[in-house]
Structures are given as structure tokens and as C-alpha cells.
């Protein structure tokens, strides 16, 4: 990575002299060089830009937000860059609330909804183009010469269908503002500080909850993006199967890296840390170290999802025999999980309770555990006391969208205790996990973990499995893996 002259922010750069890096190679900037860098640059302003694909949807979402909080100023920040180490930052991902309402993904952005009678006027506040007159564009660590061109405010207005203003002037304007205000907290400390005497935690939480519940039912654009994410994820799983021989020669990280390549080529990123858990690591629910061996005879639990450029993520899990064939005990456990998932998916329908798919899947798993003699029945007793949870561990699914665990701030009565509606997208992902040190089960079970997860859209008359492109039944999985390996040569 090149060594820029200063780490100053654009705002600080315009107000303070340039500060040199302590160990920078240049002692300073001559007046002649500073003057030279001001001129000789082509006009790169873009004209006639088409609005972003979801412009109509983001406008409708803002209208719903406006109707919920008439007469109140609403402030929704994108967030700021976060330091990874010293002067390097993590890749930026805008807050879901901000991206959902604007489609914009740049750091430091803020959406402000100003009350105008019964409605609101929405303005998007962004950093303008880097200033070439004061040298910001090449002297600031976040100047465009270092991190790339950003859209001008005029370009942003064309793209997002909103008036755009300079965000560097926003904090002071908010300090001077009067009237009721709500802000989405946790993303921009500077904006929150400007509003500290105007907001309350309770009112701000109501705003956060509303925006979370607004995402429970997906619009057509969102469903299309989720299908894109799933389709890329299917290809990522195929990539992994094709390189399992190389993973056996290295580690789980080869699997993680293989899937990541697909995510970066076809999407924005992975939607969450990939779980590439081989052997007994499959019994650790969030195994993201991915540094263990991949051995023939073991199972590989791969839980991964591609995130699209608009932040919608898939969340799919398959448990695969590393050498392409399930052993008898592996197949026995896998088939039990498959049957539980089948029961869970069948329970996903409009008008049904959200909990129905979880209850249906858990019942099947409890029945198998009793049948195998691992827990004493009857099944009703097992379910009442939750005894199956020693081996099933987690809930059977969750809402899916711009967050892998989407709509997390929604009220319990709207989510877990709610009713399914067409347009909702959720995962169905039962599992059985027999820890390597679990002395309550026979030796042959220990170290085996199985999860099968698919992304399910609630439709008008039932459901649609968005990830049906990946086989689930054990014999189909074996045939699929053999075909992929055979296609290599």
C-alpha cells in the first residue's frame, strides 16, 4: 500500500494546515508543487445519469416512513469508516437502514427527512467531490487521488432522486434545528452528538423498530436481489465441490477462499463470515476460523452466502461428504435432518404462524432421537422439556434480507410470534450436532454435525425454495458431487 502524505479527513483538511506523516518520505509540499496540482485536470462531471434500479422502491419506503412519523425530523446516517489497524480501514458497508431508504452506500452519508406539513422533504447529505483548489484531493488520506472518485452532489441527485447537500455542514444545522427529532443510533457519533439534547432513547428505538419491521415483507426488487444472491451462492458451492481435492491437501481455508472468489466476482462480498467446517468442527455452530484439515471420510458443513451489490445476502448450508459418499452413520443422521427440513419447509405458508416451521422440524428430530435411544421419550415430553436441544442447539431459521439475520429489531409479536405473509423470506435450517466429547451418545455419532439450510420465499399459495438449485436429498447430493468432479476431466 502506498504511503500518502497525510491521514487528515476532508473536513479537517479544509480547516487546518496539512500534517505530514511522522515517517513520511517527503518533508513537505512546496508552494510550486501545490500550485501545479491545482490545474491541468479535465472536467469529469457526469451528465444524464439514469436513476438507480431501486429508485422507485426507495421512494416508496421513504413515503411509508414519512407517514409513520408526521411532523418529526428523521435522521438516518450511513456510518463512518472504521479503523482496522493504524491508518487502514475496514471495507465500508453502509447501515442497512440508510441503504434501504436511499440505495446509496458511501461513508458519512446521512438521510434527513424534514417535516413539511403532513409529509417530509428528504435530502441526502454526502461528501462532495474532493477540493482541488486546497489540495484535499491529493493530500488527504481520503482524497479522491487515494481512494477513488466519488459522485458529485449533482450526480447524486440524478442517481438517487433526492436533493443532495454537503454533509460537512449538516452537524451544525442539526444543532440549530428545533422541533421533534429521531435518529438511528450507533452509526455516526458526530451526528448523534449534534442531536444529543433533542432526542431520547425511547423515541429513537421506535424509529429503529419501524425500519426493521418495514423489511419483513420484501418488495419485488428485493426478491429479485435475493434470488441473484442465491444463484451466485449455488455457483459458489459448485466451485467448492470442484476443488475439494485441493482443500484436502491444504485446509478449510481453501474452501473459504474458493467461495469468497465467487462472492467478489459476482457480488459485493460474502454476506457473513463463511463457515467451512470439516469433521468435528461442524459441531461448532459459528466455526469461522476455517483453519482445520479436510479429511476423506469426514463431512464438510459449508454455510455461506453471496451478498449482492445492493447488500442482499443468501444464507445456504449444505453438509457434504468430503470423498463424495456418506457412510452409513453419516447418512442416517443426514437423512433425519433432511426429513426435519422437509417438514419445516412444508409448514411455511401464508397465514401460518412463524413458529410453525420450527416446531415441525424439531418434532421430527425429537422423534429420531427417541427412536435411536439417545433420549427417553415420549416425544411430547422431550419437546416440552426441550431435551432435544442438546443436539439440535439452535432455532430452525430466521428472516433474511439485507442482514443475514434480518429485521432483528422487530417486535416479538411482529416476528417470532407473528404470522407469515407473502413476500417474507426466511431460512429453514434444522441440524443435529454430536460433539466429539459427548459421552451420552455412542462413539460412532461423536464428531458428526449436519445442517441443511435453504432460503424460502412465502408466496400467495405456499412457498418457493429460492435455493432449490442445490440438491438436498443424500443420494442426490452424492450424484451431484460425482457429476461436478467428473466434469473436471
Amino acid at each position: 500500500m502506498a504511503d500518502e502524505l497525510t491521514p487528515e479527513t476532508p473536513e479537517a483538511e479544509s480547516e487546518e494546515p496539512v500534517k505530514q506523516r511522522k515517517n513520511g518520505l517527503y518533508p513537505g509540499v512546496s508552494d510550486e508543487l501545490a500550485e501545479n496540482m491545482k490545474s491541468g485536470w479535465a472536467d469529469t462531471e457526469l451528465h444524464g445519469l439514469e436513476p438507480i434500479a431501486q429508485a422507485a422502491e426507495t421512494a416508496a419506503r421513504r413515503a411509508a416512513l414519512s407517514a409513520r412519523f408526521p411532523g418529526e425530523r428523521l435522521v438516518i446516517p450511513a456510518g463512518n469508516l472504521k479503523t482496522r489497524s493504524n491508518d487502514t480501514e475496514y471495507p465500508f458497508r453502509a447501515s442497512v437502514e440508510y441503504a434501504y431508504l436511499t440505495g446509496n452506500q458511501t461513508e458519512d452519508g446521512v438521510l434527513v427527512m424534514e417535516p413539511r406539513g403532513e409529509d417530509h422533504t428528504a435530502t441526502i447529505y454526502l461528501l462532495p467531490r474532493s477540493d482541488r483548489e486546497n489540495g484535499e484531493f491529493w493530500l488527504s488520506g481520503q482524497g479522491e487521488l487515494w481512494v477513488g472518485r466519488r459522485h458529485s452532489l449533482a450526480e447524486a441527485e440524478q442517481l438517487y432522486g433526492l436533493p443532495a447537500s454537503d454533509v460537512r455542514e449538516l452537524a451544525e444545522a442539526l444543532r440549530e434545528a428545533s422541533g421533534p427529532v429521531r435518529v438511528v443510533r450507533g452509526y455516526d457519533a458526530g451526528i448523534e452528538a449534534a442531536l444529543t439534547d433533542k432526542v431520547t432513547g425511547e423515541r429513537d428505538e421506535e424509529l429503529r423498530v419501524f425500519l426493521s419491521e418495514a423489511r419483513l415483507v420484501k418488495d419485488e426488487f428485493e426478491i429479485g436481489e435475493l434470488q441473484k444472491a442465491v444463484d451466485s451462492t449455488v455457483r459458489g458451492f459448485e466451485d467448492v465441490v470442484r476443488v475439494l481435492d485441493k482443500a484436502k491437501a491444504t485446509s478449510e481455508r481453501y474452501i473459504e477462499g474458493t467461495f469468497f472468489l465467487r462472492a467478489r466476482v459476482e457480488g459485493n462480498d460474502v454476506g457473513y463470515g463463511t463457515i467451512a467446517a470439516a469433521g468435528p468442527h461442524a459441531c461448532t455452530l459459528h466455526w469461522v476460523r476455517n483453519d482445520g484439515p479436510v479429511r476423506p471420510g469426514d463431512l464438510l458443513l459449508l454455510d455461506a452466502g453471496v451478498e449482492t451489490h445492493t447488500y442482499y445476502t443468501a444464507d445456504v448450508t449444505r453438509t457434504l461428504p468430503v470423498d463424495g459418499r456418506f457412510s452409513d452413520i453419516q447418512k442416517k443422521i443426514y437423512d433425519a435432518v433432511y426429513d426435519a427440513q422437509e417438514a419445516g419447509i412444508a409448514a411455511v405458508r401464508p397465514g401460518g404462524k412463524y413458529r410453525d416451521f420450527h416446531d415441525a422440524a424439531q418434532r421430527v428430530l425429537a422423534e429420531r432421537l427417541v427412536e435411536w435411544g439417545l433420549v427417553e421419550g415420549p416425544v411430547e415430553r422431550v419437546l416440552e422439556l426441550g431435551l432435544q436441544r442438546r443436539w439440535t442447539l439452535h432455532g430452525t431459521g430466521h428472516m433474511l434480507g439485507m442482514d443475514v439475520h434480518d429485521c432483528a429489531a422487530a417486535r416479538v409479536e411482529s416476528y417470532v410470534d407473528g404470522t407469515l405473509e407473502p413476500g417474507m423470506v426466511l431460512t429453514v435450517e434444522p441440524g443435529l450436532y454430536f460433539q466429539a466429547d459427548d459421552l451420552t451418545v455412542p462413539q460412532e455419532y461423536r464428531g458428526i454435525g449436519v445442517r441443511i439450510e435453504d432460503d424460502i420465499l412465502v408466496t400467495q399459495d405456499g412457498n418457493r425454495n429460492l435455493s432449490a438449485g442445490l440438491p438436498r436429498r443424500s443420494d442426490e447430493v452424492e450424484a451431484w458431487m460425482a457429476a461436478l468432479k467428473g466434469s473436471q476431466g
Side-chain angles (χ1 to χ4, degrees), residues 232-247:
S232 289
T233 299
V234 168
R235 290 187 283 272
F237 274 70
E238 292 171 347
D239 295 339
V240 166
V241 171
R242 291 189 178 101
V243 302
L244 276 179
D245 287 344
K246 293 181 179 179

Side-chain angles (χ1 to χ4, degrees), residues 160-339:
Y160 305 110
L162 290 167
S165 294
D166 190 338
V167 72
R168 294 174 296 188
E169 302 168 359
L170 178 60
E172 185 58 33
L174 290 176
R175 289 188 191 96
E176 301 299 322
S178 59
V181 184
R182 297 178 192 255
V183 63
V184 177
R185 300 190 182 200
Y187 298 115
D188 193 318
I191 293 298
E192 289 180 39
L195 295 169
T196 187
D197 60 341
K198 299 177 173 64
V199 295
T200 67
E202 181 180 359
R203 288 162 51 79
D204 292 347
E205 180 64 11
E206 288 175 352
L207 172 60
R208 188 172 79 105
V209 167
F210 174 81
L211 290 174
S212 194
E213 293 188 1
R215 304 198 309 275
L216 283 168
V217 176
K218 271 59 181 177
D219 57 40
E220 287 303 313
F221 176 85
E222 293 178 289
I223 293 169
E225 289 298 293
L226 285 166
Q227 187 66 69
K228 285 182 191 176
V230 168
D231 292 344
S232 289
T233 299
V234 168
R235 290 187 283 272
F237 274 70
E238 292 171 347
D239 295 339
V240 166
V241 171
R242 291 189 178 101
V243 302
L244 276 179
D245 287 344
K246 293 181 179 179
K248 285 186 281 188
T250 52
S251 75
E252 296 162 339
R253 289 194 175 183
Y254 202 97
I255 294 165
E256 176 188 352
T258 298
F259 187 85
F260 180 68
L261 177 61
R262 178 66 64 174
R264 286 294 283 164
V265 167
E266 295 192 0
N268 178 56
D269 204 333
V270 290
Y272 53 95
T274 296
I275 299 168
H281 289 163
C283 299
T284 301
L285 295 184
H286 290 164
W287 177 261
V288 293
R289 299 180 203 171
N290 299 337
D291 58 0
V294 180
R295 300 187 182 96
D298 281 347
L299 296 177
L300 166 68
L301 189 157
L302 178 59
D303 185 334
V306 172
E307 177 185 87
T308 67
H309 295 291
T310 55
Y311 289 174
Y312 290 87
T313 184
D315 182 9
V316 177
T317 306
R318 289 294 183 268
T319 305
L320 311 172
V322 171
D323 55 9
R325 301 284 295 181
F326 291 99
S327 70
D328 289 344
I329 185 65
Q330 290 169 349
K331 185 177 186 301
K332 173 182 173 180
I333 296 169
Y334 184 96
D335 288 349
V337 175
Y338 171 80
D339 289 344

Side-chain angles (χ1 to χ4, degrees), residues 5 29-41 131-139 145-146:
L5 293 177
V29 177
S30 69
D31 291 343
E32 290 78 4
L33 177 59
E35 190 63 29
N36 178 274
M37 292 295 286
K38 291 180 182 179
S39 61
W41 306 103
D131 191 335
R132 294 177 189 258
E133 185 65 26
N134 69 4
E136 172 199 333
F137 91 103
W138 72 288
L139 293 174
L145 185 143
W146 292 100

Side-chain angles (χ1 to χ4, degrees), residues 332-372:
K332 173 182 173 180
I333 296 169
Y334 184 96
D335 288 349
V337 175
Y338 171 80
D339 289 344
Q341 195 200 27
E342 282 282 273
I345 293 174
V348 175
R349 61 176 69 91
K353 295 297 184 184
Y354 175 85
R355 291 180 180 272
D356 289 350
F357 75 95
H358 169 72
D359 293 341
Q362 290 292 299
R363 175 172 291 277
V364 171
L365 294 178
E367 288 170 351
R368 297 301 172 86
L369 292 167
V370 171
E371 177 186 324
W372 298 340

Side-chain angles (χ1 to χ4, degrees), residues 79-85 88-92 186-187:
N80 315 125
L81 289 171
K82 291 182 171 60
T83 299
R84 180 181 186 273
S85 176
T88 61
E89 292 85 20
Y90 287 103
F92 180 72
Y187 298 115

Side-chain angles (χ1 to χ4, degrees), residues 10 127-130 136 142-144 147-152 155:
L127 287 172
R129 296 288 308 279
S130 291
E136 172 199 333
Q142 293 301 318
E144 292 183 10
V147 300
R149 186 188 190 277
R150 54 181 176 255
H151 286 295
S152 70
E155 291 168 355

